Amino acid sequence: MSRSRILILMSDTGGGHRASAQALQAAFAARYPGRFEVEIVDLWTDYTPWPINRFPRLYGPIIGRALWLWRLLWLVFENERGHSAALRLVYLLCRNRLRKVLQAHRPHLIISVHPLMQHLVMWMLEQEGAAIPFATVVTDLASFHHGWFHARAVRCFVASEAAAEAASRHGLRARLLGLPVRPAFSQPLPDKVTARARLGLAEGGFTALLLGGGEGMGPVAAIAHAVARRLGAEGKDAQLVVICGRNERLRQSLQRSDWPLPARVCGFVDNMEEWMAASDCVITKAGPGTIAEALICRLPILLSGFIPGQESGNVSYVVENGVGAYCDSPDGIAAIVSGWVGGNDLAQMATRARKLGRPRAAYDIVDEIVALMDGEIAEPRDS
Ligand code: UDP
């Protein structure tokens, strides 16, 4: 029997979209072995012409060095008319390349995990007369622009009440099943002692995990030094883990540094669940993927910054749900972490995090998509 083909559309703007796409791909393989052929495509890089295809590569540098430009782009896309006009222009320039994705992958169903992949693809499907069901998995927690929602999506999966409300404003009745994270997060996680032993960390003491998304963005170095200085000066029984993601320069510079307390500096890691299981708190920019993973690991979250636009709402999501704090100054962050060491706040935040975490999101989404393909459930739509 030939396998049904599923195409997952994403783009490497940050690490979260690819992580969610891979989570869904792995969940299809785990739940329905041999039944589906699931391919992940960076539509923007692979199926748009130059110079539009350079955008994903420019995303990191723009966020890092020209935040004003990102704010401007976000303003355009946040406005319904601006969004529609900008995407129409992109579509005019790209439609010939875009439609090649259908010839190359011949999907039976398309899933998008990226905010810029709804309208372009719907227009292309319309123009090609291709009746391929299209589902959206919203991988933002609290801030959404119009691009996420297209009323003709057969399903829209979301990870928060706020996302469900935003979907409903666009005529979609969303399914709140959580943000898909890698299947490793849905398995029982090792306890702290086991995880630390596996990773070669000291067994006892407070362990602070610091990261800046998949790209190692933001003032990670300044925060690392401030936290280490403070905990070291106070003689706290503590260690620091810094995960630099794909930021090689950051990794090299931190690995050359002297630390006043035990510190481990890593590049990109494939076992984030183990690092989180080994830690007592995570210091991170407000990336939705990292937040969702930390909640599953019951890890209090100290947000050190956010990308204006798509990550702004994540700060209130974390603070209002009582699972962490926000501070954007390295010394302020160090003071908060120091207060957390040995205090009662951590246990309370961990309990609340546990209630918010959705370790089975990827499986639940995949099950619902398969039921939809099998015709077991009707298409929900607000009229
Ligand atoms: N990540 C990872 N290894 C690393 C650094 C990050 O697997 O070394 C993953 C992290 O676990 C999360 C994703 O990259 O799943 C980051 O997504 P998030 O939405 O937090 O931020 P983004 O990178 O998209 O801005």
Side-chain angles (χ1 to χ4, degrees), residues 19-33:
S20 286
Q22 287 171 337
L24 293 171
Q25 186 181 45
F28 274 109
R31 302 280 295 163
Y32 305 94

Side-chain angles (χ1 to χ4, degrees), residues 7-14 17-18 40-59 62 70 73 77 82-95 97-99 101 105 111-124 145 147:
L7 180 63
I8 304 183
L9 302 178
M10 46 69 70
S11 189
D12 279 315
T13 48
H17 301 297
R18 183 175 285 279
I40 297 175
V41 164
D42 182 336
L43 191 72
W44 207 269
T45 301
D46 297 341
Y47 289 94
T48 66
W50 187 91
I52 297 171
N53 62 358
R54 310 303 279 183
F55 172 67
R57 274 200 225 166
L58 291 174
Y59 175 81
I62 291 175
W70 181 253
L73 285 171
F77 275 89
H83 164 257
S84 181
L87 273 193
R88 281 276 172 202
L89 179 64
V90 171
Y91 183 66
L92 276 178
L93 298 169
C94 301
R95 59 186 172 190
R97 283 292 289 276
L98 275 178
R99 65 181 194 214
V101 76
H105 299 276
I111 302 171
S112 157
V113 296
H114 196 280
L116 294 180
M117 312 271 147
Q118 276 55 233
H119 294 69
L120 293 179
V121 178
M122 288 295 194
W123 291 332
M124 185 257 293
H145 69 65

Side-chain angles (χ1 to χ4, degrees), residues 14-16 19 182 213-215 243 245 267-269 272 285 287-290 293 311:
R182 275 157 294 178
E215 308 300 321
I243 293 180
F268 193 89
V269 302
M272 189 61 80
K285 76 175 184 73
T290 304
E293 292 163 357
E311 290 183 356

Side-chain angles (χ1 to χ4, degrees), residues 145-166:
H145 69 65
H146 309 285
W148 272 119
F149 307 109
H150 194 292
R152 282 200 302 282
V154 293
R155 271 285 184 288
C156 178
F157 298 97
V158 297
S160 66
E161 295 286 352
E165 281 163 26

Side-chain angles (χ1 to χ4, degrees), residues 138-220:
V138 178
T139 55
D140 278 329
L141 285 170
S143 307
F144 321 94
H145 69 65
H146 309 285
W148 272 119
F149 307 109
H150 194 292
R152 282 200 302 282
V154 293
R155 271 285 184 288
C156 178
F157 298 97
V158 297
S160 66
E161 295 286 352
E165 281 163 26
S168 142
R169 286 196 292 277
H170 288 82
L172 286 159
R173 184 142 44 93
R175 296 282 297 136
L176 203 174
L177 297 180
L179 195 143
V181 295
R182 275 157 294 178
F185 283 91
S186 38
Q187 310 304 322
L189 293 164
D191 60 42
K192 275 196 181 102
V193 174
T194 311
R196 287 177 190 177
R198 272 191 213 161
L199 297 168
L201 295 171
E203 186 185 314
F206 183 91
T207 304
L209 173 66
L210 168 61
L211 62 140
E215 308 300 321
M217 282 180 202
V220 175

Side-chain angles (χ1 to χ4, degrees), residues 330-376:
D331 287 335
I333 289 168
I336 293 174
V337 175
S338 161
W340 281 358
V341 180
N344 293 329
D345 296 357
L346 284 185
Q348 289 168 9
M349 287 188 276
T351 307
R352 292 185 208 112
R354 186 179 168 201
K355 291 190 187 135
L356 282 182
R358 288 185 179 251
R360 293 193 53 81
Y363 292 147
D364 292 344
I365 292 170
V366 157
D367 283 350
E368 210 163 286
I369 287 175
V370 173
L372 183 75
M373 289 177 91
D374 290 343
E376 285 174 28

